[in-house]
Amino acid sequence: MPDSVELTTTKGGNNISTVFADEGIAKGHVAQKYIGTMADQRDMQALGKEQVLRRNFRFISIVAFGCTLIASWEVVLTMMSSPLVDGGTAGFIWGFIVVSVGVLLLFASLAEMASMAPTAGGQYHWVSEFAPRKYQKFLSYITGWLCATGWECAIVSIAFLAGTIIQGLVILNYPDYVSKRWHGTLITIAITLFSVLFNTFLAKKLPLVEAFILILHVAGFFIVIIPLWVLAPIKDAKTVFTEFTNGGDWNSNGTATMVGLITAITAMIGYDCTVHMSEEVRDASTTLPKAIMAACSLNGVLAFVVMVTLCFTLGNVDEVLDSATGYPFIQVFFNATKSYAATNAMTAIITMSLIASVITEVATASRQLWSFARDGGVPLASVFGYVNPNWNIPLNAVLVSLVLTMLLSLINIGSTVALDALITLTVGALLNSYIVTVSCVAWKRIRGEPLPPHRWSLGRWGLWVNLGALAFLIPEFVFVMFPLYSTVDPQTMNWSSLMYGGMLIFSIIYYALYGRKTYVPPVALVKREI
């Protein structure tokens, strides 16, 4: 073993070498085999961060992480009601294609930034580096809150989906069962508790487990679509590809389709989850961009095939939308197979995939919170930003995810409407973080300012990719806040806009009172000059 480690950073075009007299300082509390490559160490030194987490993810395991967390084809099934009400099968299919193109532009933009600065902070770090100097601190701080809110709410959203799907199966198999909202709340808490325990005691095994879950993710895809194509009645192609619906009574089919795109967007965003694990990825500055694009492409193809299959085999739309199970896809499975056992097995695959997604959601949310706390962005920052040197995980941040999920899931006891809005809040908060981040890097390009060196580049197409992503993001951010129906009452209103506004107001007030004094913007720690 060498007695010292030399890290080289580029500063003003010159190579500046920093020699650590002791290898332990370079690696922090992390064992030698987990500190990553020399490129990782140079990146951490340039970003002004200490390596305290294990770099035990490789390309396949981090691709699996992204694929299983987003669970695109599973989400398409579980949230099929929205596009069937607004848009119909034609709106679902053509809208999904548009969303897929926009998402590829978006994550190509983020992948390039991940190569520039592979840090668990992700969006709020990039905003801090790329925003105009006058607005760096404030915009970075607000973006940090958007990301933290989005990922914490995502845990509740997916755990709630999994829990209520289990309730739906019970209703299918036992018609005398009386569904209670508190049943769903208890199942949601149980799923989250399991996920937190997994992230605590089996954290070292997470990359290996993710690879196995990816097998379930892909194998389950075939197990679900084959019975549908073989057993279900098939609609004619003309109806599927040309029939739009406007169940929400909007002013046009186009508006209805835009409102119904919430399912496609939910199924296809969130691949920045891999970025928040970047300090646990080996050779992150080149592995992450490739993994983001691979996961996005693979999931996009699987989701598109499932969506087309669903549109051809769903049968009577009104019947499946009125299913007593609460989930139309369960009714579609049962109508096709005429078998309780087959329906249970097919639905169990969806449920297991969603529970696996919650496990990765907890990992992502805890790293995002830990990173933001490390920079003083939240109350009790020293507590939430602490990493146990023996476990090398942000345990306190993981436990926060459990507590917040338990509290938020209690909303379901009083009103399912408010809890359903958390799904939209998740999407809205993440979309807003993307808008701010991509806008900052696009503005830097427009002004002709140099970007940090990076090993994965969009080249001369960078600005056009960024602008294309923004052209997709801005209208979608507006429409995800819409309710499904143009005429609303307290039960059909989309309350996510109120939740979003409340979160934004709180973060701004906290910044004005405390955050501006305690928050250290990441750019202040960066040890490189372009």
Side-chain angles (χ1 to χ4, degrees):
M1 294 286 183
D3 293 327
S4 64
V5 176
E6 181 177 293
L7 304 182
T8 304
T9 58
T10 301
K11 209 164 191 176
N14 301 315
N15 287 334
I16 306 294
S17 297
T18 303
V19 179
F20 292 90
D22 185 296
E23 189 178 57
I25 296 176
K27 69 180 183 181
H29 301 290
V30 181
Q32 174 70 25
K33 64 179 179 178
Y34 292 127
I35 64 173
T37 64
M38 285 302 297
D40 291 323
Q41 295 175 56
R42 284 194 295 269
D43 286 335
M44 293 296 285
Q45 173 65 10
L47 297 173
K49 304 297 184 184
E50 181 186 7
Q51 184 70 50
V52 294
L53 304 179
R54 303 184 190 93
R55 291 189 182 270
N56 54 357
F57 279 89
R58 304 294 192 272
F59 176 74
I60 294 297
S61 55
I62 200 64
V63 169
F65 187 95
C67 285
T68 56
L69 186 150
I70 306 305
S72 294
W73 69 262
E74 295 92 339
V75 170
V76 163
L77 285 172
T78 58
M79 295 183 62
M80 62 181 279
S81 299
S82 298
L84 292 182
V85 171
D86 286 324
T89 56
F92 202 2
I93 292 173
W94 299 115
F96 187 90
I97 293 173
V98 172
V99 168
S100 297
V101 173
V103 163
L104 282 174
L105 295 174
L106 165 63
F107 286 108
S109 300
L110 298 189
E112 185 182 45
M113 285 183 269
S115 186
M116 298 175 192
T119 167
Q123 290 96 301
Y124 84 84
H125 177 103
W126 301 331
V127 170
S128 180
E129 279 209 68
F130 304 146
R133 186 178 299 274
K134 182 179 179 181
Y135 306 107
Q136 282 177 336
K137 186 172 183 178
F138 177 72
L139 283 179
S140 172
Y141 184 83
I142 296 301
T143 304
W145 271 97
L146 289 171
C147 290
T149 300
W151 284 114
E152 292 296 344
C153 289
I155 299 173
V156 188
S157 303
I158 301 301
F160 177 69
L161 280 177
T164 49
I165 287 171
I166 293 172
Q167 275 190 292
L169 270 187
V170 175
I171 292 171
L172 178 70
N173 288 272
Y174 302 97
D176 294 335
Y177 164 68
V178 179
S179 177
K180 299 292 185 181
R181 288 200 290 264
W182 63 268
H183 296 173
T185 294
L186 288 179
I187 299 172
T188 299
I189 293 173
I191 290 171
T192 308
L193 178 60
F194 168 75
S195 301
V196 166
L197 291 174
F198 191 102
N199 273 276
T200 303
F201 297 104
L202 296 175
K204 281 187 178 181
K205 303 296 182 183
L206 187 58
L208 179 62
V209 172
E210 292 294 341
F212 281 109
I213 295 174
L214 180 61
I215 295 173
L216 172 66
H217 179 64
V218 176
F221 161 81
F222 291 103
I223 293 172
V224 166
I225 67 166
I226 290 174
L228 292 179
W229 280 115
V230 172
L231 300 174
I234 307 297
K235 284 189 174 183
D236 67 281
K238 182 179 180 181
T239 300
V240 169
F241 287 101
T242 63
E243 189 175 88
F244 291 84
T245 60
N246 187 0
D249 197 26
W250 295 99
N251 59 356
S252 68
N253 286 339
T255 302
T257 299
M258 290 295 292
V259 173
L261 286 183
I262 179 64
T263 295
I265 296 170
T266 304
M268 289 299 292
I269 69 162
Y271 293 99
D272 55 297
C273 63
T274 58
V275 173
H276 303 306
M277 303 297 291
S278 60
E279 294 175 38
E280 295 165 71
V281 177
R282 187 174 178 83
D283 204 17
S285 60
T286 186
T287 300
L288 272 178
K290 297 174 184 176
I292 290 171
M293 300 311 294
C296 185
S297 301
L298 175 59
N299 263 10
V301 170
L302 297 181
F304 182 74
V305 173
V306 166
M307 180 197 57
V308 172
T309 299
L310 190 66
C311 290
F312 271 96
T313 61
L314 59 85
N316 185 288
V317 175
D318 292 332
E319 179 191 349
V320 297
L321 286 176
D322 291 336
S323 173
T325 65
Y327 283 94
F329 81 91
I330 297 178
Q331 195 65 50
V332 171
F333 289 174
F334 184 74
N335 291 347
T337 63
K338 303 294 190 297
S339 167
Y340 288 100
T343 301
N344 292 340
M346 294 165 70
T347 306
I349 291 172
I350 310 297
T351 306
M352 287 189 292
S353 295
L354 292 177
I355 293 174
S357 177
V358 177
I359 293 174
T360 49
E361 297 269 11
V362 169
T364 298
S366 61
R367 271 55 170 189
Q368 173 66 82
L369 176 61
W370 161 74
S371 179
F372 198 35
R374 176 175 59 178
D375 292 323
V378 296
L380 302 176
S382 61
V383 176
F384 301 140
Y386 176 72
V387 173
N388 188 304
N390 297 318
W391 290 29
N392 296 117
I393 60 170
L395 180 60
N396 294 341
V398 170
L399 294 177
V400 167
S401 297
L402 174 61
V403 173
L404 286 177
T405 300
M406 292 174 67
L407 294 175
L408 290 173
S409 63
L410 294 176
I411 297 173
N412 182 54
I413 297 177
S415 171
T416 58
V417 177
L419 188 57
D420 288 344
L422 285 175
I423 297 177
T424 310
L425 177 60
T426 299
V427 175
L430 291 179
L431 286 178
N432 199 355
S433 76
Y434 300 150
I435 290 171
V436 176
T437 306
V438 178
S439 295
C440 288
V441 77
W443 181 246
K444 201 170 182 68
R445 279 190 157 111
I446 290 171
R447 290 174 61 88
E449 298 175 3
L451 294 169
H454 43 292
R455 300 161 69 191
W456 193 91
S457 175
L458 296 175
R460 60 193 179 96
W461 298 102
L463 177 59
W464 295 108
V465 172
N466 299 156
L467 294 178
L470 288 173
F472 159 73
L473 286 168
I474 293 171
E476 293 303 338
F477 172 71
V478 174
F479 277 102
V480 296
M481 298 293 181
F482 275 44
L484 280 180
Y485 302 93
S486 59
T487 303
V488 298
D489 56 35
Q491 293 301 310
T492 58
M493 177 61 186
N494 185 346
W495 294 102
S496 61
S497 55
L498 179 62
M499 294 180 175
Y500 173 83
M503 177 274 297
L504 209 57
I505 291 171
F506 172 81
S507 62
I508 292 172
I509 292 175
Y510 185 82
Y511 177 81
L513 296 178
Y514 303 102
R516 61 187 178 86
K517 304 172 187 176
T518 60
Y519 179 56
V520 180
V523 70
L525 303 176
V526 171
K527 300 177 182 178
R528 65 181 173 209
E529 292 180 2
I530 308 302

